[in-house]
Short mmCIF file of all heavy atoms in Angstrom, two decimals:
data_model
loop_
_atom_site.label_atom_id
_atom_site.label_comp_id
_atom_site.label_asym_id
_atom_site.label_seq_id
_atom_site.Cartn_x
_atom_site.Cartn_y
_atom_site.Cartn_z
N MET A 1 -5.82 -7.85 -56.70
CA MET A 1 -6.86 -7.18 -55.93
C MET A 1 -6.60 -5.67 -55.92
O MET A 1 -5.49 -5.23 -55.68
CB MET A 1 -6.88 -7.72 -54.51
CG MET A 1 -7.94 -7.11 -53.65
SD MET A 1 -7.99 -7.99 -52.07
CE MET A 1 -9.13 -6.95 -51.24
N PHE A 2 -7.64 -4.89 -56.19
CA PHE A 2 -7.50 -3.45 -56.24
C PHE A 2 -7.75 -2.85 -54.86
O PHE A 2 -8.57 -3.36 -54.10
CB PHE A 2 -8.47 -2.86 -57.26
CG PHE A 2 -8.28 -3.45 -58.62
CD1 PHE A 2 -9.32 -4.06 -59.28
CD2 PHE A 2 -7.04 -3.42 -59.24
CE1 PHE A 2 -9.14 -4.61 -60.53
CE2 PHE A 2 -6.85 -3.97 -60.49
CZ PHE A 2 -7.91 -4.57 -61.14
N VAL A 3 -7.07 -1.79 -54.59
CA VAL A 3 -7.18 -1.14 -53.29
C VAL A 3 -8.51 -0.40 -53.16
O VAL A 3 -9.13 -0.41 -52.12
CB VAL A 3 -6.00 -0.16 -53.08
CG1 VAL A 3 -6.11 0.55 -51.77
CG2 VAL A 3 -4.67 -0.90 -53.20
N MET A 4 -8.96 0.24 -54.22
CA MET A 4 -10.16 1.07 -54.19
C MET A 4 -11.06 0.78 -55.37
O MET A 4 -10.62 0.24 -56.37
CB MET A 4 -9.78 2.55 -54.25
CG MET A 4 -8.91 3.04 -53.16
SD MET A 4 -8.50 4.77 -53.42
CE MET A 4 -7.15 4.91 -52.28
N ASN A 5 -12.32 1.22 -55.27
CA ASN A 5 -13.20 1.21 -56.43
C ASN A 5 -13.12 2.60 -57.08
O ASN A 5 -12.41 3.49 -56.58
CB ASN A 5 -14.64 0.82 -56.04
CG ASN A 5 -15.26 1.79 -55.05
OD1 ASN A 5 -15.01 3.00 -55.06
ND2 ASN A 5 -16.10 1.28 -54.17
N TRP A 6 -13.82 2.78 -58.21
CA TRP A 6 -13.75 4.08 -58.90
C TRP A 6 -14.13 5.23 -57.99
O TRP A 6 -13.45 6.25 -57.94
CB TRP A 6 -14.65 4.09 -60.14
CG TRP A 6 -14.07 3.51 -61.39
CD1 TRP A 6 -14.61 2.54 -62.16
CD2 TRP A 6 -12.84 3.88 -62.04
NE1 TRP A 6 -13.79 2.27 -63.24
CE2 TRP A 6 -12.70 3.09 -63.19
CE3 TRP A 6 -11.83 4.80 -61.76
CZ2 TRP A 6 -11.61 3.18 -64.05
CZ3 TRP A 6 -10.74 4.90 -62.61
CH2 TRP A 6 -10.64 4.10 -63.74
N GLU A 7 -15.25 5.10 -57.27
CA GLU A 7 -15.71 6.20 -56.42
C GLU A 7 -14.66 6.59 -55.40
O GLU A 7 -14.33 7.76 -55.27
CB GLU A 7 -17.00 5.81 -55.70
CG GLU A 7 -17.49 6.92 -54.77
CD GLU A 7 -18.75 6.52 -54.00
OE1 GLU A 7 -19.60 5.81 -54.57
OE2 GLU A 7 -18.86 6.92 -52.84
N GLU A 8 -14.13 5.63 -54.70
CA GLU A 8 -13.11 5.93 -53.68
C GLU A 8 -11.88 6.58 -54.30
O GLU A 8 -11.33 7.53 -53.75
CB GLU A 8 -12.70 4.63 -52.97
CG GLU A 8 -13.80 4.02 -52.14
CD GLU A 8 -13.50 2.60 -51.70
OE1 GLU A 8 -12.70 1.89 -52.37
OE2 GLU A 8 -14.07 2.19 -50.67
N ALA A 9 -11.46 6.08 -55.46
CA ALA A 9 -10.27 6.61 -56.12
C ALA A 9 -10.49 8.05 -56.61
O ALA A 9 -9.62 8.90 -56.45
CB ALA A 9 -9.87 5.71 -57.28
N ILE A 10 -11.66 8.31 -57.18
CA ILE A 10 -11.96 9.67 -57.66
C ILE A 10 -12.01 10.64 -56.48
O ILE A 10 -11.41 11.73 -56.53
CB ILE A 10 -13.30 9.69 -58.43
CG1 ILE A 10 -13.19 8.89 -59.72
CG2 ILE A 10 -13.72 11.14 -58.74
CD1 ILE A 10 -14.53 8.59 -60.39
N VAL A 11 -12.70 10.26 -55.42
CA VAL A 11 -12.79 11.12 -54.23
C VAL A 11 -11.40 11.38 -53.67
O VAL A 11 -11.06 12.52 -53.33
CB VAL A 11 -13.71 10.49 -53.17
CG1 VAL A 11 -13.58 11.20 -51.84
CG2 VAL A 11 -15.16 10.49 -53.64
N LYS A 12 -10.56 10.36 -53.58
CA LYS A 12 -9.22 10.51 -53.03
C LYS A 12 -8.38 11.48 -53.86
O LYS A 12 -7.73 12.37 -53.31
CB LYS A 12 -8.52 9.16 -52.92
CG LYS A 12 -7.17 9.22 -52.24
CD LYS A 12 -6.73 7.85 -51.79
CE LYS A 12 -5.36 7.86 -51.14
NZ LYS A 12 -5.33 8.53 -49.85
N VAL A 13 -8.40 11.33 -55.17
CA VAL A 13 -7.61 12.22 -56.03
C VAL A 13 -8.10 13.66 -55.91
O VAL A 13 -7.30 14.58 -55.74
CB VAL A 13 -7.64 11.75 -57.51
CG1 VAL A 13 -7.12 12.84 -58.45
CG2 VAL A 13 -6.82 10.48 -57.67
N LEU A 14 -9.41 13.88 -55.99
CA LEU A 14 -9.93 15.24 -55.89
C LEU A 14 -9.63 15.85 -54.52
O LEU A 14 -9.30 17.04 -54.42
CB LEU A 14 -11.43 15.27 -56.18
CG LEU A 14 -11.81 15.07 -57.65
CD1 LEU A 14 -13.31 14.93 -57.79
CD2 LEU A 14 -11.30 16.23 -58.50
N ALA A 15 -9.71 15.06 -53.46
CA ALA A 15 -9.40 15.56 -52.12
C ALA A 15 -7.91 15.89 -52.00
O ALA A 15 -7.54 16.92 -51.42
CB ALA A 15 -9.81 14.54 -51.07
N GLU A 16 -7.06 15.04 -52.54
CA GLU A 16 -5.61 15.29 -52.47
C GLU A 16 -5.22 16.54 -53.24
O GLU A 16 -4.38 17.32 -52.79
CB GLU A 16 -4.85 14.10 -53.04
CG GLU A 16 -4.86 12.87 -52.16
CD GLU A 16 -4.23 11.66 -52.81
OE1 GLU A 16 -3.96 11.66 -54.04
OE2 GLU A 16 -4.02 10.69 -52.08
N GLU A 17 -5.82 16.73 -54.41
CA GLU A 17 -5.47 17.88 -55.25
C GLU A 17 -6.09 19.18 -54.73
O GLU A 17 -5.52 20.24 -54.90
CB GLU A 17 -5.87 17.63 -56.70
CG GLU A 17 -5.14 16.45 -57.33
CD GLU A 17 -3.63 16.59 -57.29
OE1 GLU A 17 -3.10 17.71 -57.51
OE2 GLU A 17 -2.95 15.58 -57.04
N GLY A 18 -7.29 19.08 -54.17
CA GLY A 18 -7.92 20.25 -53.59
C GLY A 18 -8.43 21.27 -54.58
O GLY A 18 -8.67 22.43 -54.22
N CYS A 19 -8.59 20.87 -55.83
CA CYS A 19 -9.09 21.80 -56.84
C CYS A 19 -9.84 21.02 -57.90
O CYS A 19 -9.66 19.81 -58.03
CB CYS A 19 -7.94 22.58 -57.47
SG CYS A 19 -6.74 21.54 -58.33
N PRO A 20 -10.69 21.70 -58.68
CA PRO A 20 -11.41 21.02 -59.76
C PRO A 20 -10.43 20.46 -60.79
O PRO A 20 -9.36 21.04 -61.03
CB PRO A 20 -12.26 22.12 -60.38
CG PRO A 20 -12.38 23.16 -59.31
CD PRO A 20 -11.10 23.10 -58.55
N MET A 21 -10.80 19.33 -61.37
CA MET A 21 -9.93 18.69 -62.35
C MET A 21 -10.75 18.11 -63.50
O MET A 21 -11.91 17.74 -63.30
CB MET A 21 -9.15 17.54 -61.70
CG MET A 21 -8.19 17.96 -60.61
SD MET A 21 -7.41 16.53 -59.81
CE MET A 21 -6.42 15.90 -61.14
N HIS A 22 -10.12 18.00 -64.65
CA HIS A 22 -10.74 17.36 -65.81
C HIS A 22 -10.74 15.85 -65.58
O HIS A 22 -9.81 15.30 -64.98
CB HIS A 22 -9.96 17.70 -67.08
CG HIS A 22 -10.67 17.31 -68.32
ND1 HIS A 22 -10.56 16.06 -68.88
CD2 HIS A 22 -11.53 18.00 -69.11
CE1 HIS A 22 -11.31 15.99 -69.97
NE2 HIS A 22 -11.91 17.16 -70.13
N TYR A 23 -11.79 15.19 -66.06
CA TYR A 23 -11.93 13.75 -65.81
C TYR A 23 -10.76 12.94 -66.37
O TYR A 23 -10.37 11.92 -65.81
CB TYR A 23 -13.27 13.21 -66.31
CG TYR A 23 -13.45 13.20 -67.81
CD1 TYR A 23 -13.07 12.10 -68.56
CD2 TYR A 23 -14.00 14.28 -68.47
CE1 TYR A 23 -13.24 12.07 -69.93
CE2 TYR A 23 -14.18 14.27 -69.84
CZ TYR A 23 -13.79 13.16 -70.57
OH TYR A 23 -13.95 13.14 -71.93
N ALA A 24 -10.15 13.37 -67.47
CA ALA A 24 -9.01 12.65 -68.03
C ALA A 24 -7.79 12.75 -67.10
O ALA A 24 -7.06 11.77 -66.91
CB ALA A 24 -8.66 13.17 -69.42
N GLU A 25 -7.60 13.92 -66.50
CA GLU A 25 -6.50 14.10 -65.56
C GLU A 25 -6.74 13.30 -64.28
O GLU A 25 -5.81 12.70 -63.73
CB GLU A 25 -6.34 15.59 -65.24
CG GLU A 25 -5.11 15.89 -64.41
CD GLU A 25 -4.90 17.38 -64.20
OE1 GLU A 25 -5.61 18.20 -64.79
OE2 GLU A 25 -4.00 17.70 -63.40
N ILE A 26 -7.98 13.28 -63.82
CA ILE A 26 -8.33 12.47 -62.65
C ILE A 26 -7.97 11.01 -62.93
O ILE A 26 -7.35 10.33 -62.10
CB ILE A 26 -9.82 12.60 -62.31
CG1 ILE A 26 -10.16 14.03 -61.87
CG2 ILE A 26 -10.21 11.61 -61.21
CD1 ILE A 26 -11.65 14.31 -61.78
N THR A 27 -8.36 10.53 -64.10
CA THR A 27 -8.09 9.14 -64.49
C THR A 27 -6.59 8.85 -64.49
O THR A 27 -6.15 7.83 -63.96
CB THR A 27 -8.68 8.84 -65.88
OG1 THR A 27 -10.06 9.19 -65.88
CG2 THR A 27 -8.51 7.38 -66.25
N GLN A 28 -5.81 9.73 -65.07
CA GLN A 28 -4.36 9.53 -65.14
C GLN A 28 -3.75 9.45 -63.74
O GLN A 28 -2.89 8.61 -63.48
CB GLN A 28 -3.70 10.66 -65.92
CG GLN A 28 -4.01 10.63 -67.39
CD GLN A 28 -3.48 11.85 -68.13
OE1 GLN A 28 -3.07 12.84 -67.52
NE2 GLN A 28 -3.51 11.78 -69.45
N ARG A 29 -4.21 10.30 -62.85
CA ARG A 29 -3.67 10.29 -61.48
C ARG A 29 -4.07 9.02 -60.74
O ARG A 29 -3.28 8.47 -59.98
CB ARG A 29 -4.12 11.52 -60.73
CG ARG A 29 -3.73 12.81 -61.42
CD ARG A 29 -2.82 13.67 -60.64
NE ARG A 29 -2.41 14.79 -61.47
CZ ARG A 29 -2.47 16.05 -61.12
NH1 ARG A 29 -2.90 16.38 -59.92
NH2 ARG A 29 -2.07 16.99 -61.94
N ILE A 30 -5.30 8.58 -60.93
CA ILE A 30 -5.77 7.34 -60.28
C ILE A 30 -4.87 6.18 -60.70
O ILE A 30 -4.40 5.41 -59.86
CB ILE A 30 -7.23 7.04 -60.65
CG1 ILE A 30 -8.18 8.02 -59.96
CG2 ILE A 30 -7.59 5.60 -60.30
CD1 ILE A 30 -9.62 7.95 -60.44
N ILE A 31 -4.61 6.07 -61.99
CA ILE A 31 -3.82 4.96 -62.51
C ILE A 31 -2.36 5.08 -62.09
O ILE A 31 -1.75 4.12 -61.63
CB ILE A 31 -3.96 4.87 -64.04
CG1 ILE A 31 -5.41 4.51 -64.40
CG2 ILE A 31 -2.98 3.86 -64.63
CD1 ILE A 31 -5.75 4.67 -65.87
N SER A 32 -1.79 6.28 -62.21
CA SER A 32 -0.36 6.45 -61.89
C SER A 32 -0.09 6.25 -60.40
O SER A 32 1.01 5.82 -60.03
CB SER A 32 0.13 7.83 -62.33
OG SER A 32 -0.44 8.85 -61.55
N ARG A 33 -1.07 6.53 -59.55
CA ARG A 33 -0.88 6.35 -58.10
C ARG A 33 -1.28 4.96 -57.64
O ARG A 33 -1.15 4.64 -56.47
CB ARG A 33 -1.69 7.41 -57.35
CG ARG A 33 -1.16 8.81 -57.60
CD ARG A 33 -2.00 9.86 -56.96
NE ARG A 33 -1.51 11.18 -57.35
CZ ARG A 33 -2.09 12.32 -57.03
NH1 ARG A 33 -3.19 12.32 -56.30
NH2 ARG A 33 -1.58 13.46 -57.42
N GLY A 34 -1.76 4.15 -58.56
CA GLY A 34 -2.09 2.77 -58.23
C GLY A 34 -3.35 2.59 -57.40
O GLY A 34 -3.52 1.56 -56.74
N TYR A 35 -4.25 3.58 -57.44
CA TYR A 35 -5.49 3.49 -56.66
C TYR A 35 -6.48 2.50 -57.27
O TYR A 35 -7.30 1.93 -56.57
CB TYR A 35 -6.14 4.86 -56.53
CG TYR A 35 -5.34 5.88 -55.78
CD1 TYR A 35 -5.53 7.23 -56.00
CD2 TYR A 35 -4.39 5.51 -54.84
CE1 TYR A 35 -4.80 8.18 -55.30
CE2 TYR A 35 -3.65 6.46 -54.15
CZ TYR A 35 -3.86 7.79 -54.39
OH TYR A 35 -3.13 8.73 -53.71
N TYR A 36 -6.43 2.36 -58.57
CA TYR A 36 -7.35 1.45 -59.26
C TYR A 36 -6.70 1.05 -60.57
O TYR A 36 -6.06 1.87 -61.22
CB TYR A 36 -8.68 2.16 -59.53
CG TYR A 36 -9.74 1.25 -60.12
CD1 TYR A 36 -10.53 0.46 -59.30
CD2 TYR A 36 -9.95 1.19 -61.48
CE1 TYR A 36 -11.51 -0.37 -59.82
CE2 TYR A 36 -10.92 0.36 -62.01
CZ TYR A 36 -11.70 -0.41 -61.18
OH TYR A 36 -12.67 -1.24 -61.69
N GLU A 37 -6.84 -0.20 -60.95
CA GLU A 37 -6.32 -0.66 -62.22
C GLU A 37 -7.50 -0.95 -63.14
O GLU A 37 -8.24 -1.92 -62.91
CB GLU A 37 -5.49 -1.93 -62.04
CG GLU A 37 -4.80 -2.36 -63.30
CD GLU A 37 -3.92 -3.57 -63.07
OE1 GLU A 37 -3.25 -3.64 -62.05
OE2 GLU A 37 -3.95 -4.46 -63.94
N PRO A 38 -7.72 -0.11 -64.14
CA PRO A 38 -8.87 -0.30 -65.02
C PRO A 38 -8.77 -1.58 -65.82
O PRO A 38 -7.69 -2.02 -66.19
CB PRO A 38 -8.84 0.92 -65.93
CG PRO A 38 -7.46 1.42 -65.88
CD PRO A 38 -6.90 1.02 -64.54
N ARG A 39 -9.93 -2.15 -66.10
CA ARG A 39 -10.00 -3.39 -66.88
C ARG A 39 -10.36 -3.10 -68.34
O ARG A 39 -10.14 -3.93 -69.19
CB ARG A 39 -11.03 -4.32 -66.26
CG ARG A 39 -10.66 -4.76 -64.89
CD ARG A 39 -11.74 -5.65 -64.27
NE ARG A 39 -11.51 -5.78 -62.85
CZ ARG A 39 -12.23 -5.19 -61.92
NH1 ARG A 39 -13.25 -4.43 -62.25
NH2 ARG A 39 -11.96 -5.36 -60.65
N GLY A 40 -10.95 -1.95 -68.59
CA GLY A 40 -11.42 -1.63 -69.93
C GLY A 40 -10.41 -0.85 -70.74
O GLY A 40 -9.33 -0.50 -70.28
N VAL A 41 -10.80 -0.55 -71.98
CA VAL A 41 -9.93 0.15 -72.92
C VAL A 41 -9.99 1.67 -72.73
O VAL A 41 -9.03 2.37 -73.00
CB VAL A 41 -10.33 -0.22 -74.37
CG1 VAL A 41 -9.47 0.52 -75.37
CG2 VAL A 41 -10.22 -1.71 -74.57
N THR A 42 -11.13 2.18 -72.24
CA THR A 42 -11.32 3.63 -72.12
C THR A 42 -11.66 4.01 -70.68
O THR A 42 -12.79 4.38 -70.37
CB THR A 42 -12.42 4.11 -73.07
OG1 THR A 42 -13.62 3.36 -72.76
CG2 THR A 42 -12.05 3.93 -74.52
N PRO A 43 -10.70 3.98 -69.78
CA PRO A 43 -10.98 4.32 -68.38
C PRO A 43 -11.45 5.77 -68.20
O PRO A 43 -12.22 6.06 -67.29
CB PRO A 43 -9.66 4.06 -67.66
CG PRO A 43 -8.62 4.10 -68.71
CD PRO A 43 -9.29 3.63 -69.97
N GLU A 44 -11.00 6.67 -69.08
CA GLU A 44 -11.45 8.06 -68.98
C GLU A 44 -12.96 8.15 -69.12
O GLU A 44 -13.61 8.93 -68.43
CB GLU A 44 -10.78 8.94 -70.05
CG GLU A 44 -9.29 9.04 -69.96
CD GLU A 44 -8.59 7.91 -70.72
OE1 GLU A 44 -9.24 7.14 -71.44
OE2 GLU A 44 -7.36 7.81 -70.57
N ASN A 45 -13.51 7.36 -70.04
CA ASN A 45 -14.96 7.37 -70.23
C ASN A 45 -15.67 6.86 -68.98
O ASN A 45 -16.72 7.37 -68.61
CB ASN A 45 -15.35 6.53 -71.44
CG ASN A 45 -14.91 7.14 -72.74
OD1 ASN A 45 -14.53 8.31 -72.79
ND2 ASN A 45 -14.92 6.36 -73.79
N SER A 46 -15.11 5.85 -68.35
CA SER A 46 -15.70 5.31 -67.13
C SER A 46 -15.71 6.35 -66.02
O SER A 46 -16.72 6.53 -65.33
CB SER A 46 -14.93 4.08 -66.65
OG SER A 46 -14.98 3.06 -67.61
N VAL A 47 -14.61 7.06 -65.85
CA VAL A 47 -14.53 8.10 -64.81
C VAL A 47 -15.49 9.24 -65.14
O VAL A 47 -16.22 9.71 -64.27
CB VAL A 47 -13.09 8.61 -64.65
CG1 VAL A 47 -13.04 9.85 -63.76
CG2 VAL A 47 -12.20 7.52 -64.06
N GLY A 48 -15.50 9.68 -66.39
CA GLY A 48 -16.41 10.75 -66.80
C GLY A 48 -17.86 10.38 -66.55
O GLY A 48 -18.65 11.19 -66.05
N MET A 49 -18.23 9.17 -66.88
CA MET A 49 -19.60 8.71 -66.66
C MET A 49 -19.91 8.64 -65.16
O MET A 49 -20.98 9.05 -64.73
CB MET A 49 -19.81 7.33 -67.31
CG MET A 49 -21.22 6.85 -67.20
SD MET A 49 -21.60 5.31 -68.10
CE MET A 49 -20.06 4.51 -68.32
N TYR A 50 -18.98 8.17 -64.39
CA TYR A 50 -19.21 8.07 -62.95
C TYR A 50 -19.41 9.47 -62.35
O TYR A 50 -20.29 9.67 -61.52
CB TYR A 50 -18.04 7.37 -62.25
CG TYR A 50 -18.43 6.95 -60.87
CD1 TYR A 50 -19.01 5.72 -60.64
CD2 TYR A 50 -18.29 7.82 -59.80
CE1 TYR A 50 -19.42 5.35 -59.37
CE2 TYR A 50 -18.70 7.47 -58.54
CZ TYR A 50 -19.26 6.24 -58.33
OH TYR A 50 -19.69 5.90 -57.08
N LEU A 51 -18.61 10.43 -62.79
CA LEU A 51 -18.75 11.80 -62.29
C LEU A 51 -20.12 12.38 -62.64
O LEU A 51 -20.77 13.00 -61.80
CB LEU A 51 -17.64 12.69 -62.87
CG LEU A 51 -16.23 12.41 -62.35
CD1 LEU A 51 -15.19 13.01 -63.28
CD2 LEU A 51 -16.07 12.94 -60.94
N ARG A 52 -20.56 12.17 -63.88
CA ARG A 52 -21.86 12.70 -64.32
C ARG A 52 -23.03 12.04 -63.61
O ARG A 52 -24.04 12.69 -63.35
CB ARG A 52 -22.03 12.51 -65.83
CG ARG A 52 -21.16 13.41 -66.67
CD ARG A 52 -21.51 13.33 -68.14
NE ARG A 52 -21.40 11.99 -68.69
CZ ARG A 52 -20.27 11.44 -69.15
NH1 ARG A 52 -19.15 12.12 -69.10
NH2 ARG A 52 -20.27 10.21 -69.64
N ARG A 53 -22.90 10.79 -63.28
CA ARG A 53 -24.01 10.04 -62.67
C ARG A 53 -24.09 10.18 -61.15
O ARG A 53 -24.98 9.58 -60.54
CB ARG A 53 -23.91 8.57 -63.04
CG ARG A 53 -24.21 8.34 -64.50
CD ARG A 53 -24.23 6.88 -64.81
NE ARG A 53 -24.58 6.67 -66.21
CZ ARG A 53 -24.61 5.50 -66.80
NH1 ARG A 53 -24.31 4.41 -66.11
NH2 ARG A 53 -24.93 5.39 -68.06
N ASN A 54 -23.19 10.93 -60.55
CA ASN A 54 -23.18 11.08 -59.10
C ASN A 54 -23.12 12.55 -58.69
O ASN A 54 -22.16 13.00 -58.06
CB ASN A 54 -22.00 10.29 -58.50
CG ASN A 54 -22.22 8.81 -58.62
OD1 ASN A 54 -22.95 8.23 -57.83
ND2 ASN A 54 -21.63 8.20 -59.64
N PRO A 55 -24.18 13.31 -59.03
CA PRO A 55 -24.17 14.74 -58.71
C PRO A 55 -24.25 15.01 -57.20
O PRO A 55 -24.04 16.15 -56.78
CB PRO A 55 -25.41 15.27 -59.44
CG PRO A 55 -26.31 14.09 -59.55
CD PRO A 55 -25.39 12.90 -59.71
N ASN A 56 -24.55 14.00 -56.41
CA ASN A 56 -24.55 14.18 -54.96
C ASN A 56 -23.13 14.22 -54.40
O ASN A 56 -22.91 14.71 -53.29
CB ASN A 56 -25.34 13.06 -54.28
CG ASN A 56 -24.81 11.68 -54.63
OD1 ASN A 56 -24.42 11.42 -55.77
ND2 ASN A 56 -24.81 10.78 -53.67
N LEU A 57 -22.14 13.74 -55.18
CA LEU A 57 -20.75 13.73 -54.75
C LEU A 57 -19.86 14.72 -55.50
O LEU A 57 -18.90 15.25 -54.93
CB LEU A 57 -20.14 12.33 -54.94
CG LEU A 57 -20.70 11.20 -54.11
CD1 LEU A 57 -20.10 9.87 -54.57
CD2 LEU A 57 -20.39 11.44 -52.65
N PHE A 58 -20.19 14.93 -56.78
CA PHE A 58 -19.32 15.73 -57.64
C PHE A 58 -20.11 16.83 -58.35
O PHE A 58 -21.19 16.59 -58.86
CB PHE A 58 -18.67 14.83 -58.69
CG PHE A 58 -18.05 13.59 -58.11
CD1 PHE A 58 -18.64 12.35 -58.29
CD2 PHE A 58 -16.89 13.66 -57.37
CE1 PHE A 58 -18.09 11.20 -57.75
CE2 PHE A 58 -16.32 12.52 -56.82
CZ PHE A 58 -16.92 11.28 -57.00
N GLU A 59 -19.51 18.02 -58.39
CA GLU A 59 -20.14 19.16 -59.06
C GLU A 59 -19.37 19.49 -60.34
O GLU A 59 -18.14 19.60 -60.32
CB GLU A 59 -20.13 20.37 -58.14
CG GLU A 59 -20.73 21.60 -58.76
CD GLU A 59 -20.67 22.80 -57.83
OE1 GLU A 59 -20.43 22.63 -56.62
OE2 GLU A 59 -20.84 23.93 -58.33
N ARG A 60 -20.11 19.65 -61.42
CA ARG A 60 -19.50 20.04 -62.69
C ARG A 60 -19.20 21.53 -62.65
O ARG A 60 -20.08 22.35 -62.41
CB ARG A 60 -20.44 19.72 -63.85
CG ARG A 60 -19.84 20.04 -65.20
CD ARG A 60 -20.80 19.63 -66.31
NE ARG A 60 -20.21 19.89 -67.59
CZ ARG A 60 -20.73 20.74 -68.47
NH1 ARG A 60 -21.86 21.36 -68.23
NH2 ARG A 60 -20.13 20.93 -69.63
N VAL A 61 -17.95 21.89 -62.88
CA VAL A 61 -17.50 23.27 -62.85
C VAL A 61 -17.49 23.87 -64.25
O VAL A 61 -17.88 25.01 -64.46
CB VAL A 61 -16.10 23.38 -62.21
CG1 VAL A 61 -15.57 24.79 -62.24
CG2 VAL A 61 -16.13 22.84 -60.79
N SER A 62 -17.04 23.08 -65.21
CA SER A 62 -17.06 23.45 -66.62
C SER A 62 -17.02 22.14 -67.41
O SER A 62 -17.02 21.06 -66.82
CB SER A 62 -15.88 24.36 -66.97
OG SER A 62 -14.65 23.71 -66.76
N LYS A 63 -16.95 22.23 -68.72
CA LYS A 63 -17.02 21.03 -69.55
C LYS A 63 -15.91 20.04 -69.17
O LYS A 63 -14.73 20.32 -69.35
CB LYS A 63 -16.91 21.41 -71.02
CG LYS A 63 -17.11 20.24 -71.95
CD LYS A 63 -17.11 20.65 -73.40
CE LYS A 63 -17.36 19.43 -74.27
NZ LYS A 63 -17.39 19.81 -75.66
N GLY A 64 -16.31 18.90 -68.64
CA GLY A 64 -15.36 17.85 -68.28
C GLY A 64 -14.61 18.06 -66.98
O GLY A 64 -13.79 17.24 -66.60
N VAL A 65 -14.88 19.17 -66.30
CA VAL A 65 -14.15 19.51 -65.06
C VAL A 65 -15.09 19.41 -63.87
O VAL A 65 -16.18 19.96 -63.89
CB VAL A 65 -13.55 20.93 -65.15
CG1 VAL A 65 -12.82 21.31 -63.87
CG2 VAL A 65 -12.60 21.03 -66.34
N TYR A 66 -14.62 18.70 -62.84
CA TYR A 66 -15.45 18.43 -61.66
C TYR A 66 -14.70 18.71 -60.38
O TYR A 66 -13.47 18.68 -60.36
CB TYR A 66 -15.90 16.96 -61.66
CG TYR A 66 -16.84 16.64 -62.78
CD1 TYR A 66 -16.37 16.33 -64.05
CD2 TYR A 66 -18.22 16.69 -62.59
CE1 TYR A 66 -17.23 16.05 -65.09
CE2 TYR A 66 -19.09 16.42 -63.64
CZ TYR A 66 -18.59 16.09 -64.87
OH TYR A 66 -19.45 15.83 -65.90
N LYS A 67 -15.48 18.93 -59.33
CA LYS A 67 -14.90 19.07 -57.99
C LYS A 67 -15.79 18.30 -57.01
O LYS A 67 -16.93 17.96 -57.32
CB LYS A 67 -14.81 20.53 -57.57
CG LYS A 67 -16.16 21.20 -57.31
CD LYS A 67 -15.97 22.61 -56.80
CE LYS A 67 -17.31 23.17 -56.34
NZ LYS A 67 -17.16 24.44 -55.65
N LEU A 68 -15.23 18.05 -55.84
CA LEU A 68 -15.99 17.39 -54.78
C LEU A 68 -17.01 18.35 -54.21
O LEU A 68 -16.75 19.54 -54.05
CB LEU A 68 -15.06 16.97 -53.64
CG LEU A 68 -14.25 15.71 -53.81
CD1 LEU A 68 -13.30 15.54 -52.63
CD2 LEU A 68 -15.15 14.50 -53.93
N ILE A 69 -18.18 17.83 -53.87
CA ILE A 69 -19.16 18.62 -53.14
C ILE A 69 -18.81 18.47 -51.67
O ILE A 69 -18.66 17.37 -51.18
CB ILE A 69 -20.59 18.13 -53.42
CG1 ILE A 69 -20.95 18.44 -54.87
CG2 ILE A 69 -21.58 18.78 -52.46
CD1 ILE A 69 -22.33 17.99 -55.27
N GLU A 70 -18.68 19.58 -51.01
CA GLU A 70 -18.27 19.55 -49.59
C GLU A 70 -19.45 19.69 -48.67
O GLU A 70 -20.44 20.18 -48.94
CB GLU A 70 -17.26 20.64 -49.35
CG GLU A 70 -16.16 20.52 -50.39
CD GLU A 70 -14.82 20.96 -49.89
OE1 GLU A 70 -14.66 21.10 -48.68
OE2 GLU A 70 -13.95 21.13 -50.72
#
């Protein structure tokens, strides 16, 4: 059983870091901290897609880099 879903894990990592991050780095931190265990082969793609599809939560700062909307 996983502790969080992708949204919760992404929000937690961005809040903990307090700065914009690249989606691949966000993914690595989520996995290394045990917030979510991906089932697929390309978890970075899943995180990147989730960030792009939720502009109400995440703002794109530059190519592949996002921050939380406060």
Side-chain angles (χ1 to χ4, degrees):
M1 181 172 173
F2 303 124
V3 179
M4 300 178 195
N5 61 33
W6 275 127
E7 178 182 324
E8 294 167 335
I10 294 167
V11 168
K12 185 163 178 69
V13 166
L14 287 172
E16 288 174 348
E17 297 303 320
C19 62
M21 296 175 67
H22 192 273
Y23 69 90
E25 187 175 353
I26 295 169
T27 306
Q28 290 173 348
R29 303 242 174 130
I30 288 170
I31 295 168
S32 69
R33 294 175 185 175
Y35 296 155
Y36 186 84
E37 187 176 320
R39 296 178 194 106
V41 179
T42 56
E44 298 87 8
N45 292 346
S46 298
V47 170
M49 184 173 22
Y50 195 89
L51 290 162
R52 288 189 302 275
R53 290 186 178 176
N54 290 281
N56 57 321
L57 295 173
F58 311 107
E59 179 182 344
R60 182 177 182 243
V61 176
S62 63
K63 186 175 181 179
V65 179
Y66 293 83
K67 69 175 189 171
L68 280 174
I69 292 179
E70 308 212 14

